[in-house]
Amino acid sequence: MADPAPARETEAGAKRPEPKPRVLVLDDEVHVLKALDRSLGAEGFEIQTTTDAADALARLPGGVDVVVSDYRMPRTDGLTFLEEVGRRAPGARRILLTGHADIQALAKAINRGAIHRLFLKPWDHLDLVTALREESRQGRLAAQADELRRLADRRTHELELARRLLKVQRMAAVGQLAAGIAHEINNPLGTILSFAQILLREARLSEEDLEAVRFIEQGAQRCKRVIDAVVKFGVPTNAEPTEVDLGDLARETLALLAPELRRATADVETSFDPGAPRAWGSFQELQQVVSALLRNALEALEPGARNRISVATSVRGPTACLSISDSGRGIAPEIRDRIFDPFFTTKAEGATPAAGLGLTIAERIAATHGGQIEIASEPGTGTTATLLLPRYAAPG
């Protein structure tokens, strides 16, 4: 008498039968197929049988839970067939039958991971039925687990996209606010700077008054530099894009910063890919990115030490890379996620104009070029910042 089909609870609490296990059987003996069709069909299985391996493979896309194959057949062997089943339908469970107690076949099948179970002919009916039910259930559980993994991956991807969108929206809002504030501050700031410069030309002022006016002018100039940086952050530029050789970009930026590099007693090492990595964009804007990364590398160096800065270009498939490494103090893990945030800085207050905006602007410029900045750092061992950009492709 057939065992009743296992039941499972629905969301409403009622129980309903599980779907019939779908079994595909390949054997060159027709009487074996007929026996399995009748006996397993009576046990509640949905059975398909065939004597042809190609026909069996053609049925896989229709959906099969378990594939059962004889080992010895005229044109193929069951192990080779089940290996192909594993490639085409990895979720299908695989059972090998053999009437020869072939130990070598068993060892090969297990070592290759081609089968989940092996039965010797003649098999015990109840053992086979139990194995088919268990393997069918295992297959469906594995399929559900795969689906849950795919769903989790998709949700993780969606959350990452949402995080990036939120960051872009926040930066856009900050940019709009910054541009408005810059406009309102620049007018009175220009007046202050103009009158300070007029007063500096007044011969009647005492030296004490002149020193006070110089402080006013220096403060106004510093404010102007900060506002200029804010405007660059908040307002996109209309620089004309062109083909940019990253090696040339690095060489020119290093030349501009040569005095600062000398003052830092930093040995500069360069390694430029002979493949000449090229990107598409604004040379001036990308130079601003490289300058910001180099200055951050300089500021991370230990005073008085013999420091090293390495600049290299390379290619990663469709991506052109420019990396800047330093031998400085590195970045603490707790602040690594904040280094691109607007106005976040570890520098002393007033140390540099527009402190906390350099990397923010650099990241924004990289993003508008379709790229990004990667940071790899360990405290005490230095930092590597890599500018990643889509490679230039010649039109046509």
Side-chain angles (χ1 to χ4, degrees):
M1 181 174 176
D3 293 335
R8 60 183 180 187
E9 289 195 12
T10 63
E11 290 182 1
K15 296 200 172 185
R16 61 182 177 83
E18 290 187 351
K20 286 185 176 183
R22 299 165 298 178
V23 179
L24 173 62
V25 184
L26 171 66
D27 199 302
D28 62 326
E29 298 288 343
V30 175
H31 68 275
V32 173
L33 294 180
K34 287 183 177 179
L36 286 171
D37 185 28
R38 184 169 181 176
S39 62
L40 296 179
E43 297 287 350
F45 292 92
E46 184 181 304
I47 304 295
Q48 299 180 60
T49 61
T50 181
T51 59
D52 182 69
D55 177 50
L57 293 173
R59 298 187 190 203
L60 292 177
V64 175
D65 296 318
V66 185
V67 179
V68 180
S69 174
D70 188 22
Y71 178 65
R72 293 188 181 275
M73 289 178 288
R75 289 185 294 275
T76 186
D77 65 82
L79 179 55
T80 301
F81 165 73
L82 289 176
E83 285 180 328
E84 183 62 25
V85 170
R87 284 187 285 271
R88 297 194 184 191
R93 309 294 284 183
R94 301 176 293 282
I95 295 178
L96 185 68
L97 301 178
T98 178
H100 299 275
D102 192 332
I103 301 302
Q104 287 187 339
L106 173 60
K108 283 198 298 183
I110 292 175
N111 289 335
R112 294 185 193 179
I115 65 170
H116 297 98
R117 300 213 188 189
L118 182 138
F119 277 83
L120 299 178
K121 295 180 180 179
W123 58 85
D124 182 89
H125 173 72
L126 290 179
D127 285 348
L128 181 60
V129 167
T130 301
L132 287 171
R133 285 207 173 109
E134 288 179 357
E135 291 302 328
S136 174
R137 190 174 294 113
Q138 287 296 321
R140 294 188 180 188
L141 287 174
Q144 290 173 7
D146 287 341
E147 179 60 27
L148 288 174
R149 276 193 293 270
R150 285 193 294 271
L151 181 62
D153 289 343
R154 186 164 66 247
R155 289 287 183 267
T156 301
H157 180 63
E158 289 172 354
L159 287 172
E160 176 62 18
L161 289 178
R163 186 190 68 80
R164 291 184 183 181
L165 177 60
L166 181 61
K167 185 174 182 180
V168 169
Q169 290 173 335
R170 186 177 67 223
M171 290 182 67
V174 171
Q176 292 174 355
L177 179 63
I181 292 174
H183 176 74
E184 292 301 317
I185 292 178
N186 268 334
N187 287 332
L189 185 61
T191 303
I192 293 170
L193 190 56
S194 296
F195 277 109
Q197 289 170 346
I198 290 171
L199 287 172
L200 286 174
R201 293 194 293 269
E202 286 283 340
R204 292 172 298 175
L205 291 178
S206 66
E207 189 58 37
E208 184 179 357
D209 290 338
L210 283 172
E211 185 179 4
V213 175
R214 287 192 195 98
F215 280 130
I216 293 172
E217 185 200 27
Q218 290 169 4
Q221 292 284 13
R222 182 181 164 204
C223 289
K224 185 176 183 302
R225 288 193 292 269
V226 173
I227 293 300
D228 287 344
V230 169
V231 170
K232 287 178 182 176
F233 166 71
V235 181
T237 66
N238 296 314
E240 194 68 28
T242 184
E243 179 184 357
V244 178
D245 184 315
L246 296 190
D248 290 344
L249 179 68
R251 278 184 282 267
E252 286 201 22
T253 311
L254 285 169
L256 289 173
L257 298 182
E260 296 177 47
L261 291 165
R262 284 194 296 271
R263 284 196 297 272
T265 63
D267 293 327
V268 179
E269 303 170 358
T270 59
S271 175
F272 299 137
D273 191 319
R278 298 173 185 271
W280 180 259
S282 163
F283 191 97
Q284 288 73 23
E285 288 187 2
L286 292 176
Q287 190 170 55
Q288 187 178 352
V289 175
V290 178
S291 176
L293 297 179
L294 277 169
R295 283 200 165 95
N296 272 270
L298 282 168
E299 288 159 2
L301 300 178
E302 296 292 350
R306 196 64 200 175
N307 296 299
R308 175 188 53 80
I309 289 180
S310 301
V311 183
T313 62
S314 60
V315 171
R316 297 185 201 167
T319 304
C321 312
L322 193 157
S323 299
I324 297 170
S325 302
D326 66 68
S327 58
R329 56 185 172 271
I331 303 171
E334 61 269 20
I335 67 170
R336 196 169 300 159
D337 291 338
R338 301 186 58 198
I339 60 175
F340 294 112
D341 288 350
F343 301 107
F344 175 77
T345 181
T346 57
K347 303 164 191 170
E349 185 176 354
T352 58
L357 279 176
L359 286 180
T360 305
I361 296 171
E363 185 193 38
R364 177 161 179 166
I365 292 173
T368 59
H369 283 72
Q372 60 179 322
I373 299 172
E374 284 184 353
I375 302 292
S377 182
E378 290 295 333
T381 62
T383 299
T384 297
T386 304
L387 172 62
L388 307 172
L389 297 166
R391 290 179 67 183
Y392 168 79

